[in-house]
């Protein structure tokens, strides 16, 4: 089983290496992503977990794809040119990464020049921490696999249940919150090259 702490260290190391190679300071990265220098420093050391929205913001500014942050050295060889098969057993053996209010697995592979990324998200029941609103360019598709989610888009509040599918413009501030009695699971497909345009709160 993959260790989420090792994955966090790998992601942080890739961010630090790319940032330094481009002579970008932590302060500049902080200004461009609206994330604090303290949070970014911890993230680079593998001591903090980041939301998908944060990773999109950082990778976009550094000129990386979202997939670059997850790719291990063993995956450095060119992927198949036309498709990448992600087996269920391999995904299930991976420990999930943590974010503010949810955990997530990456579900997609690595295609040359790809512009989409897919994740399976889990929102635990009885969430204590209120999730924060995020806003970024591009599009997002959410497909509910199980449970019940309250989803905010701007001033609208939607209730998503198993089988519901939501496709929306990510420039609208949005967030999700589990309001069911069990874990809410959903598939998320997002434009991987989309930068965070504005954040409401830190994560």
């Amino acid at each position: 089983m993959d260790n989420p702490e090792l994955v966090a260290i790998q992601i942080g190391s890739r961010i630090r290496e790319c940032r330094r190679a481009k002579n970008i300071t932590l302060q500049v990265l902080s200004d461009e992503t609206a994330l604090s220098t303290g949070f970014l420093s911890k993230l680079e050391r593998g001591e903090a977990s980041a939301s998908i929205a944060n990773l999109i913001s950082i990778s976009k500014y550094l000129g990386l794809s979202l997939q670059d942050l997850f790719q291990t050295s063993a995956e450095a060889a060119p992927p198949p040119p036309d498709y990448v098969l992600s087996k269920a057993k391999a995904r299930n053996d991976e420990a999930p990464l943590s974010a503010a209010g949810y955990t997530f697995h990456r579900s997609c592979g690595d295609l040359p020049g790809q512009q989409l990324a897919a994740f399976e998200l889990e929102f635990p029941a009885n969430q204590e921490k209120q999730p924060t609103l995020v806003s970024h360019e591009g599009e997002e598709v959410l497909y509910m696999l199980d449970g019940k989610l309250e989803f905010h888009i701007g001033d609208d509040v939607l209730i998503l249940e198993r089988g519901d599918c939501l496709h929306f413009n990510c420039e609208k501030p949005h967030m999700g919150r589990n309001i069911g009695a069990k874990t809410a699971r959903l598939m998320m497909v997002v434009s991987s090259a989309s930068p965070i345009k504005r954040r409401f709160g830190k994560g």
Side-chain angles (χ1 to χ4, degrees), residues 65-187:
S65 71
L66 192 56
Q67 287 68 39
D68 289 336
L69 299 182
F70 290 88
Q71 191 179 49
T72 64
S73 57
E75 297 172 325
D82 297 320
Y83 67 89
V84 178
L85 175 62
S86 177
K87 299 291 286 186
K89 184 180 186 306
R91 293 198 310 274
N92 292 337
D93 286 343
E94 293 177 355
L97 296 172
S98 297
Y102 62 91
T103 58
F104 63 96
H105 286 278
R106 187 174 67 134
S107 300
C108 59
D110 297 286
L111 282 177
Q114 75 183 68
Q115 298 180 30
L116 296 176
F119 300 89
E120 184 176 331
L121 279 60
E122 291 192 356
F123 289 76
N126 303 315
Q127 285 181 259
E128 296 181 0
K129 185 176 180 180
Q130 178 69 19
T132 56
L133 288 161
V134 296
S135 177
H136 54 91
E137 295 178 359
E139 299 176 64
E140 193 168 310
V141 174
L142 302 179
Y143 182 82
M144 288 296 298
L145 300 171
D146 203 9
K148 190 173 185 179
L149 201 71
E150 178 185 276
F151 201 80
H152 295 240
I153 304 179
D155 295 329
D156 295 334
V157 179
L158 310 173
I159 304 301
L160 305 181
E161 299 180 276
R162 183 176 181 178
D164 291 346
C165 186
L166 175 64
H167 185 183
F168 63 98
N169 185 330
C170 299
E171 291 188 359
K172 286 279 191 178
H174 55 278
M175 71 176 185
R177 183 172 68 91
N178 188 348
I179 58 171
K182 61 181 180 180
T183 298
R185 297 174 50 248
L186 62 147
M187 180 66 70

Side-chain angles (χ1 to χ4, degrees), residues 22-47:
K22 294 177 180 289
N23 293 318
I24 297 172
T25 65
L26 275 176
Q27 186 60 59
V28 169
L29 187 58
S30 172
D31 292 341
E32 294 294 333
T33 60
L35 300 169
S36 71
T37 55
F39 171 74
L40 290 171
S41 179
K42 288 183 178 180
L43 184 63
E44 288 190 346
R45 297 196 302 270
E47 297 174 358

